[in-house]
Amino acid sequence: MKHERNSTRQSSTAAFSLLALGVVYGDIGTSPLYAIKETFNPHHGIPLTADNIIGGGSTIFWLLMIVVSLKYVTLVLRANNHGEGGIMALLALATASVKNHPQWTGPLLTLGVFGASLFYGDAVLTPAISVLSAVEGLEVGTSAFKPYIVPISAGILVGLFLIQKQGTQVVGLLFGPVMLVWFFAIGAAGVWNIAANPTILQALNPLRAIGFVTNHGFASFVVLGSVLLAVTGAEALYADMGHFGKWAIRVAWFGLVAPALVLNYLGQGALLIANPKALDNPFYLAFPSWALYPMVGLATAATIIASQATISGAYSMTQQAIQLGYLPRMNVHHTSAGTIGQIYVPVVNWLLLVFVALAVIGFGSSTRLASAYGVAVMGTMLATTFLTFFVIRYGWGYPLWLCVLATGFFTIIDTTLFAAAMLKIHDGGWFSLALGAGVFALMLTWRRGREILLERLRSESVPLEPFLKSLLNAPPQRVPGTAVFLTATREGTPHALLHSLKHYKVLHERLVFLRVEFRDVPWVPVEECVVCERLGNDLWRVRVRYGFMDRPDVARAMELCGALGLELDPMETSFFLSRQKIVPVADNAGMALWRERMFASMARNAGSIADHLNIPTNRVVEVGTSVEI
């Protein structure tokens, strides 16, 4: 029996590792298309000598080992929020860890939102640079394709975004096998070139990397802004942990992905030592001429997979941000009845398409896009490192010296790489920073606006229990049916109830005060989802709790109330919701007026709360109120 359990576990890990190849490693797996080419870009001012090629290859190798193998695969994957990863999950975990140290909450929220905002820049640039770099392989065969590179790339990306609403369940089955072929192909090309020029194996010596980043003055610092392209996509290892588990991700990395990437990078270096002119496109020129067009096709498929993984990541990030209170409600469509986590967010999809198209057309080449790419990637990685420190220090309770040692080394590396990436702001880095700054402002404004709104509602609300006591002393006429009033606070009387009494002057025979909470954990067990409290006189208080990865379903929660003594007939139940109209007021002690107006606009255009909570729309009554902030 034990042997059978071990066999099943091994089979499951192998299956998830295969799936992880597509979803998790699509981004970092396609970095060889442009990382070596940009590392040895002549504009950096470092001569393309054999010593420098070995040093550059060594720098890439050790960066993969330190940032990916040690930081993410070994350390960060341990900092999971009940099995879920990603910067929003880490932010929730970090803020929960410092609940006894409230002075850190504000800075951590700002830092986490900053990292999450830059992720959206990554979600725009990954599809653009990946597909462009793949299609540019056509130029290697003949220059006749050059005028068509941008239109072909744009066409592929438009098609990719257009099919998002159909879901990726069927196409997703091909992700793992396609990427398996991809990693074997790039690894084989690396072996072929290394065998022809084994001198490149000196790159495994860390002293060659140290020499490369110290012997060229300021140019050594500048080139780090391109070397970091080799680790783009490392954040996906952590973000997708909840889908595949850390063991599957680790097996895929050490078993196939890392060896294939190392072999390919060293193989491209070996090619450049033998033929410096191959710098025009060292990835494709590392293959035999007969394999060029098959590899262009395979690379295009691989970059589409990398793009899909990033787009899906943006959807998941948005869903988490909505439920953690950082973004307004949006329509979220679940595209698979059998697979959790496959969602489609129309607003995010079309905004990404617009910005991706602008990036492809505006920058026009993978080389120019590379300048914009590093800032977004390293900003998110740096935020992850800082948040991890607070988790292991305050959440796990490790000694301060150990926490500083564990994260300080990675902080130095991340800060250095981020600073090097910032040098390219004028060359395109401004694009990802502008995107991140826009999202950052939206997220902080929405969260702060909600806090102010709740404060106003709480200060203006009538205490519920005294109100009910006085109401029942001389009750109005009670009519058949159940009225469910959504309330933002436990102690306040819902505005919808006050307006209902004012206009209808009746009470339903049963009243339910429903509060929906989103906790800072990914999942809430079904048995803990609903809490019912009897208040007497057929009055009930119900609390429904969800995690930031749960799909809110109030209709289902009402069914669960039956086992707790509250039997509800759906056809006899009406839901009363309050919809606030936000009125910005300059002299109120809230936010700056422009932020108040932004919050009011976001609230006005937010999705329906009934749809968000899955409340039957034909049973909903909305009551509007104006709130000054």
Side-chain angles (χ1 to χ4, degrees), residues 113-275:
V113 172
F114 169 73
S117 302
L118 288 179
F119 178 84
Y120 286 95
D122 188 13
V124 168
L125 294 174
T126 292
I129 191 172
S130 299
V131 173
L132 257 178
S133 59
V135 177
E136 283 171 351
L138 295 172
E139 294 181 85
V140 176
T142 170
S143 59
F145 280 111
K146 188 170 184 177
Y148 305 104
I149 298 299
V150 170
I152 291 173
S153 301
I156 291 171
L157 289 166
V158 169
L160 178 62
F161 281 99
L162 288 177
I163 67 170
Q164 291 301 308
K165 62 182 177 182
Q166 306 300 328
T168 59
Q169 190 168 13
V170 176
V171 181
L173 296 175
L174 300 175
F175 283 8
V178 169
M179 293 306 297
L180 184 65
V181 174
W182 167 259
F183 285 118
F184 272 113
I186 65 174
V191 171
W192 185 53
N193 284 278
I194 292 170
N197 198 343
T199 308
I200 191 63
L201 292 176
Q202 296 178 47
L204 301 179
N205 182 351
L207 296 178
R208 302 306 294 263
I210 295 172
F212 183 74
V213 299
T214 58
N215 292 341
H216 303 285
F218 187 66
S220 293
F221 181 62
V222 173
V223 77
L224 290 177
S226 296
V227 172
L228 64 84
L229 295 173
V231 295
T232 56
E235 189 73 20
L237 278 71
Y238 181 48
D240 289 304
M241 178 171 53
H243 295 288
F244 305 103
K246 60 184 178 183
W247 290 111
I249 291 173
R250 285 171 174 166
V251 167
W253 172 253
F254 289 114
L256 177 62
V257 179
L261 290 175
V262 169
L263 288 171
N264 190 264
Y265 283 127
L266 295 184
Q268 289 188 53
L271 172 67
L272 290 176
I273 291 174
N275 179 19

Side-chain angles (χ1 to χ4, degrees), residues 337-366:
T339 304
I340 296 175
Q342 287 201 9
I343 59 174
Y344 166 66
V345 185
V347 172
V348 175
N349 187 69
W350 302 125
L351 285 175
L352 285 178
L353 173 57
V354 169
F355 284 109
V356 168
L358 288 174
V360 170
I361 296 170
F363 287 92
S365 72
S366 59

